[in-house]
Amino acid sequence: MEVKDLILYQVATDRNYKVGDKINFNNTTTNGQYNRVYNTKFTLNGNRASDEMYRAAKRKFRKFKHQEDVYEIAHKLEAYDVCVKELALEQVRLQRFKELPSRLHCMYLSLNKEIALQNIESMASNREKLGKHFQAVAVKLNGKIFKAGRVYMSREGESFAHYLKKAEEYWSQSNLKDEEIKEILFEGEAEIIEILKEIKHD
């Protein structure tokens, strides 16, 4: 759907936006989701995380000196699930829905200010995984958007085949009511028009 001067909201991580900034989102832009999919490593202590877990299991977990290692492996398994899901979504989009914004190159937005303000608090409380500088911003959009929500692509630990099938349903949604929308993808020019809230951690 093409939009002109539409105002929506985003929570930005480690971007340091200023009012008046203009950002172009297109197929050469790399967003946080792109970086998670293409740059996440699944290693621990210099080894594959799975190998560390195999070794630890054989030694009844004596290999793990700190509980943080167990958490780190769980986090890497979750990150792997994100990669599988997002690669399936992008494959289906490129094959059947190429005109829609890519989840790997877009700006993610919320429909209203209240959701953005809730999201910034939630994201800032999870800073170990997400970042140190958070901004809830209002943006003026000129380009195209895609609204998703009735079918939402959560992390399910499922097979690539499952995610491919669900991706077809995800990209096929249309005519959602406002209360059904969980995320909005945008490609085009976004202008920061207001900083609603900012949270910084050292």
Side-chain angles (χ1 to χ4, degrees):
M1 169 198 264
E2 293 291 328
V3 296
K4 182 172 174 56
D5 295 337
L6 176 67
I7 309 298
L8 290 178
Y9 305 90
Q10 190 205 33
V11 176
T13 306
D14 295 333
R15 293 280 185 175
N16 199 30
Y17 284 143
K18 302 284 189 295
V19 172
D21 284 353
K22 292 183 179 179
I23 313 101
N24 280 298
F25 289 86
N26 54 47
N27 62 6
T28 65
T29 309
T30 56
N31 61 17
Q33 199 75 317
Y34 178 98
N35 289 326
R36 276 189 286 277
V37 170
Y38 286 100
N39 297 320
T40 299
K41 293 184 178 180
F42 305 99
T43 59
L44 182 70
N45 303 323
N47 302 308
R48 290 192 317 160
S50 55
D51 290 339
E52 286 289 286
M53 194 59 131
Y54 286 135
R55 287 191 194 96
K58 289 177 182 176
R59 295 188 176 105
K60 297 184 180 177
F61 291 93
R62 282 178 293 184
K63 176 78 175 174
F64 291 116
K65 295 176 181 158
H66 304 287
Q67 192 171 353
E68 290 81 16
D69 284 351
V70 178
Y71 174 84
E72 188 62 26
I73 286 179
H75 176 58
K76 290 181 184 302
L77 288 170
E78 182 183 30
Y80 183 77
D81 195 20
V82 170
C83 291
V84 173
K85 169 180 75 79
E86 292 297 335
L87 289 171
L89 277 157
E90 186 65 357
Q91 179 175 312
V92 171
R93 187 193 72 83
L94 287 170
Q95 289 173 346
R96 300 216 30 233
F97 304 91
K98 203 166 185 177
E99 73 285 359
L100 298 178
S102 167
R103 291 173 56 85
L104 304 179
H105 303 284
C106 72
M107 184 181 223
Y108 286 83
L109 297 151
S110 301
L111 190 62
N112 61 58
K113 190 183 298 188
E114 291 71 28
I115 292 173
L117 291 171
Q118 288 172 12
N119 288 343
I120 192 173
E121 296 294 339
S122 173
M123 292 171 72
S125 69
N126 199 14
R127 61 185 180 274
E128 294 85 7
K129 287 167 64 174
L130 298 176
K132 293 185 176 181
H133 183 198
F134 302 88
Q135 295 172 297
V137 298
V139 291
K140 183 167 68 175
L141 310 170
N142 286 287
K144 60 184 177 182
I145 62 171
F146 173 73
K147 299 175 182 177
R150 194 180 299 124
V151 177
Y152 186 64
M153 294 291 288
S154 56
R155 302 159 195 177
E156 302 174 23
E158 278 286 355
S159 67
F160 190 67
H162 169 87
Y163 286 131
L164 285 173
K165 183 178 177 183
K166 197 159 181 186
E168 292 270 354
E169 299 173 18
Y170 175 89
W171 292 119
S172 296
Q173 15 187 6
S174 61
N175 303 318
L176 272 66
K177 297 175 184 174
D178 285 357
E179 59 269 20
E180 295 177 298
I181 297 168
K182 292 188 178 178
E183 62 187 3
I184 300 170
L185 317 182
F186 169 75
E187 282 186 0
E189 183 183 84
E191 180 181 356
I192 309 300
I193 60 171
E194 185 182 357
I195 309 291
L196 305 170
K197 187 167 185 175
E198 198 160 7
I199 300 174
K200 287 186 179 181
H201 298 291
D202 295 330

